[in-house]
Amino acid sequence: MQSDDIKREANLLYKAIEPALELGENYRGVILRDLARIVQICGRSHGVISSLELLAYLVLYGLIKPDKSKLTAALRWDDRASRTAAEKEILQILLDLTKEEDDRLLLPSLLHQQDQAQGSSLQEPIVNAIHRFAQMIIRADGEVTPDETAALNHIWQLLHTYRPIPAELQPMPTETLEQVMAELDDLVGMQNIKESVRTLTNFLKVQQVRKERGLAQTSVSLHMVFGGPPGTGKTTIARLTGRLFKALGILKKGHLVETDRAGLVAGYVGQTAKKTDDMVNSALDGVLFIDEAYALSPPGAGNDFGREAIDTLLKRMEDFRDRLVVIVAGYTDEMNHFIEANPGLKSRFNRYFYFADYPPEDLLAIFTKMCSKSNFNPTEETQAKLKQMFEQLYANRDRTFGNGRLVRNLFEKAIEQQANRLASAATLTDEELVTLLPEDLPAIESLSSAPIAERSQNGIAERSQNGIGAQISPPVPSDAARFATLLNEALPDGTMAEVSTNGDRLQIAFEGAALSDFDAMSNLVCKTLKRLKLSIPQMQLMGQANGENWSRKFEVQ
């Protein structure tokens, strides 16, 4: 089979899958990954991905992406120098798309779901066309070995096997603007936030009417800053915002992608831009929600990799101004400093929402709502005791006060204690199963105003109130930022450290020509920890010495 035959077969497959490409941008990425996987399986069956197999994928990639440079390279395939360069490039793309050790395909499941939901018939012709394409590239050399026959059978099985569809690829339910606004109104408290959302919604509705009538429109940025303490509903409002924009026709999907510094910043130079790009791509046509965004720019961190993430994010916000809404969130003061310190951020984020601590009456309303949804009924005495508890917790709150998370924590402890109280009963009535008594409520001393990860601003080990051992708080982002500042100041010129957290583990990646070995770096890290009086249960250090990479995890004594 000649190169022209390969190009013709690739064009036939593209025409067969065009209906799937019209279903949305996500299908484009899934198709490219699945076809890369099929080419890889075919190549495995005869030991190497052949030049003609690379050509077939090059044509398809250029058509599906679309990418004119790839199509030009396919046209020049008979030129040896051009072909060699194109082979290297498309092979790297194949490797990048198939780095997960999993042959499973996702497109058949998406097409099956689409056919079931819409009564369409996309799956069968597209699956058959893909299998025909696999047969074509297997037979490109004129013979089919037993291993190649087994590969074709494997591909057939994959094309007829369904797998769970990731949440970001699930179709968003169709809902009206009124339905979303009703859900907003049903939330406890947050009157200022509700009013701000209504005002924005009304403005956008009028702008759409003006557009329909050919009148001038006011350019407006939809990127937002959410400031406030934890547990005050920032993520909930972000999710509703995406759905509102979908209902208004501003975003096609309106889904929410949540991330933080760890989801955007990589451990080595050059990797952060790609990691941020991938996160942005997953949020296209929806909302990208970056929690504790100020951790991307810790004060005094010098050449911190977070800057690369911010620069990449700003560029993609401009590239996809009509397809992406970015919401950054965190403590109010830190967020204000974060935005003000970067002119690029300040020019793009001019819509601020401020979330306040829930007052005791709202905390009680949230608890009552949780009970209602889970079929529990607190007695009047229980509600009176709850009111007293919330008033005390609110009066003694600090900036890490957990708000809704605190209520969730209390609710879960209450139903656990109710279960303990009822466990010894021989028979139970429905009323007993749903009733929460005052004695089911946990002691107020056992409640933290925030989850363990937020309990202490400096991460110092804390003794639990009930006396059951000691617990060490994982470092929070502000700790990591302060630690990164001191550590980078202590490092020799030409060397820098990237600091991040993973659960209760502190991860540090060293980069630079003057980098020493593990022992030297670990000693420097431990000295810096002592300066901040931080207690960290686990550490992972990564770097390079004498031309060799090293990475070690260890418990901190």
Side-chain angles (χ1 to χ4, degrees):
M1 186 173 285
Q2 302 300 313
S3 61
D4 286 344
D5 299 319
I6 294 291
K7 295 173 189 176
R8 183 172 56 254
E9 291 291 342
N11 272 278
L12 288 174
L13 176 58
Y14 174 72
K15 290 179 181 178
I17 63 178
E18 269 190 306
L21 294 173
E22 295 172 1
L23 296 175
E25 188 67 26
N26 280 330
Y27 277 79
R28 199 177 303 273
V30 169
I31 291 170
L32 285 172
R33 284 193 295 273
D34 280 6
L35 291 178
R37 182 68 67 193
I38 287 171
V39 170
Q40 184 190 56
I41 294 170
C42 292
R44 258 190 342 236
S45 68
H46 42 249
V48 65
I49 299 177
S50 70
S51 178
L52 290 178
E53 289 168 343
L54 291 173
L55 172 60
Y57 191 75
L58 175 68
V59 174
L60 285 164
Y61 188 92
L63 291 169
I64 293 169
K65 194 70 177 172
D67 187 330
K68 290 183 180 179
S69 67
K70 301 296 187 297
L71 295 176
T72 301
L75 291 173
R76 297 175 179 172
W77 196 257
D78 291 334
D79 177 76
R80 184 173 180 178
S82 176
R83 181 175 68 247
T84 300
E87 285 177 341
K88 290 181 179 178
E89 184 178 7
I90 204 66
L91 180 60
Q92 186 59 54
I93 291 174
L94 280 168
L95 293 174
D96 289 342
L97 291 174
T98 58
K99 55 189 175 184
E100 295 181 5
E101 297 181 1
D102 184 354
D103 281 347
R104 292 184 300 172
L105 308 177
L106 186 55
L107 181 61
S109 301
L110 285 173
L111 294 175
H112 178 71
Q113 176 181 266
Q114 178 72 17
D115 286 350
Q116 294 279 54
Q118 303 297 329
S120 53
S121 302
L122 295 175
Q123 182 186 0
E124 184 175 356
I126 291 177
V127 161
N128 289 340
I130 292 174
H131 191 254
R132 182 177 182 275
F133 168 76
Q135 290 176 309
M136 177 272 298
I137 59 177
I138 282 284
R139 295 169 178 166
D141 60 357
E143 62 177 344
V144 181
T145 67
D147 286 342
E148 290 171 334
T149 299
L152 284 173
N153 290 334
H154 181 45
I155 291 169
W156 176 260
Q157 291 294 328
L158 293 173
L159 288 169
H160 293 83
T161 301
Y162 304 136
R163 57 180 293 190
I165 298 175
E168 64 268 19
L169 296 178
Q170 293 283 2
M172 295 291 287
T174 301
E175 54 189 355
T176 65
L177 179 61
E178 290 72 21
Q179 288 174 318
V180 183
M181 292 302 294
E183 189 170 333
L184 173 70
D185 291 335
D186 190 50
L187 295 175
V188 173
M190 296 192 292
Q191 295 308 317
N192 64 317
I193 301 297
K194 293 177 182 178
E195 189 59 37
S196 297
V197 172
R198 289 192 197 96
T199 299
L200 175 59
T201 302
N202 291 336
F203 172 78
L204 295 173
K205 285 169 65 178
V206 171
Q207 287 295 301
Q208 286 185 320
V209 174
R210 291 177 63 90
K211 179 180 179 181
E212 292 168 0
R213 298 186 183 180
L215 300 174
Q217 301 170 66
T218 303
S219 178
V220 60
S221 172
L222 296 179
H223 306 303
M224 308 174 192
V225 178
F226 285 5
T232 47
K234 294 188 290 293
T235 306
T236 299
I237 295 297
R239 186 172 289 108
L240 281 171
T241 299
R243 291 162 55 194
L244 280 171
F245 289 166
K246 181 176 186 291
L248 286 166
I250 295 169
L251 294 173
K252 289 183 180 179
K253 294 169 59 181
H255 65 299
L256 183 78
V257 174
E258 300 178 54
T259 190
D260 55 14
R261 177 187 169 94
L264 299 172
V265 176
Y268 297 96
V269 173
Q271 294 178 333
T272 292
K274 183 179 185 305
K275 196 171 184 180
T276 303
D277 259 344
D278 290 343
M279 191 63 68
V280 168
N281 287 336
S282 70
L284 287 180
D285 300 315
V287 174
L288 178 61
F289 180 78
I290 307 175
D291 197 16
E292 295 178 328
Y294 45 79
L296 291 172
S297 183
N303 295 323
D304 183 82
F305 294 153
R307 290 188 177 183
E308 185 180 0
I310 293 173
D311 292 341
T312 304
L313 180 65
L314 290 174
K315 182 180 184 305
R316 297 306 295 273
M317 288 168 66
E318 184 65 24
D319 293 342
F320 297 111
R321 64 172 69 92
D322 296 325
R323 296 186 57 196
L324 178 69
V325 171
V326 177
I327 298 176
V328 292
Y331 287 110
T332 301
D333 290 344
E334 284 87 338
M335 290 306 303
N336 288 336
H337 294 153
F338 171 64
I339 298 296
E340 290 293 329
N342 189 308
L345 291 171
K346 188 175 180 180
S347 66
R348 288 169 176 82
F349 291 92
N350 53 22
R351 195 172 299 278
Y352 289 75
F353 290 71
Y354 294 106
F355 293 72
D357 287 320
Y358 286 112
E361 57 270 22
D362 284 350
L363 297 172
L364 179 58
I366 293 171
F367 186 93
T368 303
K369 198 170 185 179
M370 289 180 180
C371 288
S372 178
K373 288 183 176 180
S374 301
N375 292 319
F376 285 97
N377 180 29
T379 64
E380 290 185 6
E381 294 80 4
T382 305
Q383 294 196 50
K385 183 176 178 180
L386 279 166
K387 184 174 181 295
Q388 292 178 352
M389 293 176 68
F390 286 134
E391 287 173 347
Q392 183 176 343
L393 288 165
Y394 183 80
N396 296 322
R397 74 190 187 282
D398 58 18
R399 74 191 304 262
T400 65
F401 183 62
N403 289 286
R405 299 177 192 175
L406 167 68
V407 179
R408 167 62 64 181
N409 186 20
L410 194 157
F411 174 74
E412 291 176 351
K413 288 178 180 292
I415 62 176
E416 287 175 0
Q417 293 193 186
Q418 186 230 37
N420 288 334
R421 175 171 59 83
L422 300 177
S424 59
T427 59
L428 292 169
T429 65
D430 288 350
E431 183 178 359
E432 289 173 320
L433 287 170
V434 302
T435 300
L436 288 179
L437 300 177
E439 55 262 38
D440 295 328
L441 300 178
I444 196 168
E445 294 79 13
S446 71
L447 295 171
S448 166
S449 64
I452 219 79
E454 300 165 340
R455 186 176 299 168
S456 172
Q457 291 185 42
N458 59 15
I460 296 175
E462 293 186 32
R463 179 73 58 177
S464 60
Q465 295 294 331
N466 59 10
I468 305 177
Q471 295 175 313
I472 296 179
S473 300
V476 297
S478 57
D479 297 329
R482 293 200 307 274
F483 175 77
T485 300
L486 289 177
L487 182 59
N488 278 287
E489 288 175 353
L491 288 170
D493 292 341
T495 304
M496 62 179 294
E498 164 67 19
V499 179
S500 60
T501 57
N502 182 3
D504 60 356
R505 182 190 306 151
L506 190 68
Q507 296 177 317
I508 306 169
F510 294 100
E511 183 87 14
L515 190 61
S516 187
D517 59 13
F518 167 77
D519 291 333
M521 292 297 101
S522 62
N523 288 335
L524 183 60
V525 167
C526 290
K527 289 180 181 178
T528 308
L529 287 174
K530 289 180 180 178
R531 286 180 62 190
L532 282 176
K533 298 181 180 180
L534 293 181
S535 295
I536 308 296
Q538 284 189 326
M539 298 270 286
Q540 181 178 10
L541 306 186
M542 296 165 282
Q544 187 180 71
N546 301 320
E548 295 184 0
N549 292 321
W550 50 263
S551 175
R552 296 193 194 176
K553 300 176 185 177
F554 59 95
E555 303 287 332
V556 179
Q557 301 299 322

